[in-house]
Amino acid sequence: MTVSDQTLAGTEVADGIVLTDVAASKVRSLLEQEGRTDLQLRVAVQPGGCSGLRYQLFFDERSLDGDVVRKFDGVGVVVDRMSAPYLTGAVIDFTDTIEKQGFTIDNPNAQNSCACGDSFH
């Protein structure tokens, strides 16, 4: 599944995953704080949580067989081949308000989610 990168209303789309400009900027800032240029943002779906599946976002230096790697405004985003179908069309953003700070994932594939928003089905 390889779709070329496209620009869409201030975001870049690759393989059905969207990383907003705000999220890409935050990732870049975090990597600069760590002084690491060898890390990429890995987005994965794992079993767990109260709804069945949970998202994982973490910095990773590994390259696994079947990984889909794309650049969003200079930020490397990695998705493993098992997680990719669950993340098609998902929008990863970063929110920084008085109420909440952190990465958010708006996933059209999620049929329902738990009350805390940490897992989905």
Side-chain angles (χ1 to χ4, degrees), residues 30-38:
L30 291 169
L31 290 173
E32 287 172 3
Q33 287 176 13
E34 293 296 318
R36 301 279 306 260
T37 58
D38 60 328

Side-chain angles (χ1 to χ4, degrees), residues 29 39 55 57 79 81 93 99:
S29 172
L39 299 177
Y55 300 111
L57 282 88
V79 177
R81 67 176 165 205
D93 197 6
E99 297 172 335

Side-chain angles (χ1 to χ4, degrees), residues 31 34 36-41 59-62 71 76:
L31 290 173
E34 293 296 318
R36 301 279 306 260
T37 58
D38 60 328
L39 299 177
Q40 300 181 90
L41 179 66
F59 293 121
D60 199 355
E61 59 190 15
R62 298 173 300 155
K71 297 285 185 181

Side-chain angles (χ1 to χ4, degrees), residues 14 33 36 49 56 61 64 87 120:
Q33 287 176 13
R36 301 279 306 260
Q56 290 188 327
E61 59 190 15
L64 306 174
L87 295 169
F120 70 100

Side-chain angles (χ1 to χ4, degrees), residues 2-67:
T2 56
V3 176
S4 63
D5 292 349
Q6 307 171 28
T7 300
L8 174 68
T11 59
E12 293 182 29
V13 181
D15 291 313
I17 300 165
V18 176
L19 184 69
T20 67
D21 291 343
V22 173
S25 177
K26 183 61 178 181
V27 170
R28 202 170 32 262
S29 172
L30 291 169
L31 290 173
E32 287 172 3
Q33 287 176 13
E34 293 296 318
R36 301 279 306 260
T37 58
D38 60 328
L39 299 177
Q40 300 181 90
L41 179 66
R42 183 172 289 275
V43 183
V45 174
Q46 299 291 322
C50 49
S51 289
L53 298 171
R54 85 177 316 154
Y55 300 111
Q56 290 188 327
L57 282 88
F58 56 96
F59 293 121
D60 199 355
E61 59 190 15
R62 298 173 300 155
S63 179
L64 306 174
D65 187 37
D67 277 351

